[in-house]
Amino acid sequence: MTAVGQRSVVDVVGEAGRRRTFAVISHPDAGKSTLTEALALHARVISEAGAVHGKAGRRGVVSDWLAMEQARGISITSAALQFGYGDAVVNLLDTPGHADFSEDTYRVLSAVDSAVMLLDAAKGLEPQTLKLFDVCRDRDIPVLTFVNKWDRPGLEALELCDELVERIGLQPMPLTWPVGEAGRFRGVLDCLDGSFVRFSRTAGGATAAGEERLDPASALAEEGEDWVRATEETELLAASGGRFDPSRFFAATATPVLFGSAVLNFGVRRLLDVLVELAPPPTPRSDVEGRARPLDAPFSAFVFKVQTGMDPAHRDQVAFARVCSGVFERGMVVTNATTGRPFATKYAQQVLGQQRSTLDTAYPGDVIGLVNANALRVGDTLHAGKPAVRYPGLPSFAPAHFAVARPADLGRAKQFRKGIDQLGSEGVVQVLRSDRRGDAAPVLAAVGPMQFEVAAHRLETEFNAPVALERLPYSVVRRLDDPAQRALVESRRGSEVLTRAVDGTDLALFVDQHTLGVLRRLHPELAVSALVAGAE
């Protein structure tokens, strides 16, 4: 038996088998961060759950640490939480729900093995949820569905399940079913054993909800018509193909469905149990050559997120990396496959919002926070030993908004340039440069305009470099495949070519589709191609 560091192959594979690494995805305001807190509460990582839109006396969520997040009640950054639950190790990645931050969410989904799709009981499948589900489908990520906010008025449970079939072709397989209509939540029918789980409220939902399990006869006696309706509806779904089958979940053709209320902690413990029981553990990842790297191969990981300013006292940079193979041990020197240079991992941490703890060891499926990681960029591969390994890079979304950035105070130009470079390396915005404007006035490109607000806020608060933004009229972007055609594009009014700083890609920008169409008719030889989320 070979050894990996000081640990056997059996240890690595066994430890990987204990990991459950998943993301929570949904439309804005469906309750993702509140659910994250509730899951951490049930795992006893925190003693009291917060809420994004907190009631008086109830603190905010731990995972939303950025000042703008706390002020607006939305998630802008991604949070990485790790905790033990029973014999399992849970890695939960919370993601921004706002469409303007789709690029960050896509990166997070590259680092998980499954996803929880959170639906608002009153709204069902919303546009951003659909977009994120498409990413999961493209990556064959199994999806578990949690219908949230059942304590408030909403749609019929069967209507929500019909949406899953009709709009995304995903067969619902209920594991729990609500007893009582939306807004009058009594508890849930356990579809696997037929029992009734009744919930009791706690003060503000800040602590774990009490649960009482009753047999079907007792449930019928106490809940009457609500119980009869729940049993009839679950029987109807089972007869129409909704009987639970784990193989269909793993194949990403069907989704287990649970009902609850994250803010009241109703149904959250069962969700956590199901994730541990059903969610797939890490499997071998394919490198750029398409070769699956065994879990027990020497250490390797890829960087999916870079964040600065999580600790205002130090303003250090943290790179989040998903371990793909082998054992990570703090202090080991690894190789950055992108640059071929060594990288020392002396400062490795687990990160819970702004709370940190030293991380000594990590296994496949774990997320490690590498501090003072100024040499790392999103998409970099880290590996130990030889031969080298490199995982596919993470694509950039096609930006739809553009603005020239200049320092509001010329005396802060040095801090401005440092901040722009930092935000570009993190992927907060895409930084584009042109000969026409020079390095002093880079162009910021964003999927959504709120990214500009985040960039301006961070430049001012973290780098003391207030910025003036001048919006540009461009709305269409294409990759310029032939650099020799730069002059051809810029010969037309309403178009120009800019170079993306992070990878040197030339982007052709146009004020509208008409401008691009005219240029293509005049010059059929024009070599441009679309930028999309999945590939470039």
Side-chain angles (χ1 to χ4, degrees), residues 223-486:
E223 301 300 329
E225 286 301 315
D226 286 335
W227 179 255
V228 172
R229 180 180 180 182
T231 55
E232 289 178 346
E233 289 178 339
T234 54
E235 289 169 0
L236 177 64
L237 275 173
S240 60
R243 197 174 301 279
F244 179 66
D245 180 354
S247 65
R248 292 194 292 167
F249 168 58
F250 296 137
T253 61
T255 178
V257 179
L258 300 96
F259 290 77
S261 169
V263 75
L264 295 179
N265 291 302
F266 287 3
V268 176
R269 184 191 60 79
R270 181 60 189 276
L271 172 62
L272 187 53
D273 288 341
V274 169
L275 281 164
V276 170
E277 293 168 9
L278 292 182
T283 55
R285 291 250 169 170
S286 296
D287 62 16
V288 291
E289 304 295 333
R291 297 170 300 200
R293 185 173 177 86
L295 295 174
D296 53 25
F299 167 77
S300 67
F302 69 89
V303 178
F304 66 90
K305 171 75 176 175
V306 176
Q307 184 71 57
T308 298
M310 297 182 74
D311 184 349
H314 300 97
R315 205 185 311 171
D316 52 7
Q317 179 168 306
V318 180
F320 293 92
R322 150 77 187 237
V323 180
C324 298
S325 67
V327 183
F328 170 80
E329 295 177 307
R330 183 170 60 90
M332 68 191 304
V333 177
V334 298
T335 300
N336 183 345
T338 304
T339 63
R341 296 177 179 174
F343 179 82
T345 63
K346 180 179 179 182
Y347 302 104
Q349 298 180 335
Q350 290 178 347
V351 181
L352 172 59
Q354 284 183 294
Q355 303 171 18
R356 304 183 185 186
S357 59
T358 298
L359 174 70
D360 292 317
T361 308
Y363 296 90
D366 287 341
V367 173
I368 55 179
L370 299 171
V371 184
N372 295 332
N374 297 325
L376 300 183
R377 298 291 182 266
V378 170
D380 283 352
T381 296
L382 303 174
H383 67 86
K386 294 183 179 180
V389 60
R390 188 167 185 177
Y391 295 107
L394 303 180
S396 297
F397 274 39
H401 304 269
F402 305 87
V404 180
R406 295 184 176 86
D409 178 357
L410 292 178
R412 310 295 299 174
K414 182 177 179 180
Q415 291 83 349
F416 168 79
R417 287 192 296 270
K418 181 179 179 181
I420 290 292
D421 290 343
Q422 182 61 53
L423 297 181
S425 70
E426 292 181 25
V428 174
V429 287
Q430 295 181 36
V431 178
L432 313 179
R433 304 191 186 281
S434 66
D435 295 337
R436 179 190 307 178
R437 298 181 183 84
D439 290 342
V443 173
L444 306 185
V447 174
M450 196 179 292
Q451 288 178 262
F452 292 144
E453 295 183 46
V454 173
H457 175 80
R458 290 189 57 190
L459 283 168
E460 182 170 1
T461 57
E462 295 177 24
F463 297 92
N464 193 22
V467 62
L469 296 176
E470 174 192 348
R471 295 295 183 95
L472 295 176
Y474 305 118
S475 62
V476 176
V477 59
R478 295 291 186 270
R479 181 176 58 205
L480 183 64
D481 298 322
D482 183 359
Q485 294 182 336
R486 174 185 288 263

Side-chain angles (χ1 to χ4, degrees), residues 35-109:
L35 177 62
T36 298
E37 295 274 310
L39 289 167
L41 172 70
H42 280 269
R44 300 185 179 181
V45 178
I46 56 177
S47 59
E48 182 176 322
V52 174
H53 301 290
K55 298 178 182 179
R58 186 173 179 186
R59 64 174 182 76
V61 293
V62 171
S63 56
D64 286 347
W65 56 272
L66 193 65
M68 284 185 67
E69 294 178 309
Q70 296 166 352
R72 296 189 179 208
I74 60 172
S75 290
I76 294 172
T77 57
S78 297
L81 318 179
Q82 184 187 75
F83 51 83
Y85 187 70
D87 191 48
V89 177
V90 176
N91 293 295
L92 192 168
L93 306 187
D94 186 26
T95 62
H98 200 287
D100 287 9
F101 304 99
S102 300
E103 201 164 8
D104 194 40
T105 301
Y106 186 92
R107 297 185 192 116
V108 172
L109 289 175

Side-chain angles (χ1 to χ4, degrees), residues 4 9 11 40 100 109 119 134 158 162 193 218 297 326 348 389 469 479 484 505 516:
V4 181
V9 169
D11 286 333
D100 287 9
L109 289 175
L119 303 185
D134 285 341
L158 286 176
D162 287 342
D193 65 14
S218 300
V389 60
L469 296 176
R479 181 176 58 205
T505 299
L516 172 59

Side-chain angles (χ1 to χ4, degrees), residues 152-208:
R152 307 178 188 179
L155 303 173
E156 297 284 343
L158 286 176
E159 185 179 353
L160 289 163
C161 287
D162 287 342
E163 274 200 349
L164 294 173
V165 176
E166 295 168 3
R167 301 185 67 184
I168 60 178
L170 203 60
Q171 174 65 52
M173 302 183 295
L175 293 179
T176 66
W177 196 257
V179 177
E181 62 189 11
R184 198 170 53 82
F185 196 13
R186 305 287 298 161
V188 294
L189 164 64
D190 187 324
C191 298
L192 297 184
D193 65 14
S195 65
F196 173 49
V197 181
R198 182 162 56 193
F199 301 118
S200 58
R201 292 175 179 257
T202 61
T207 56

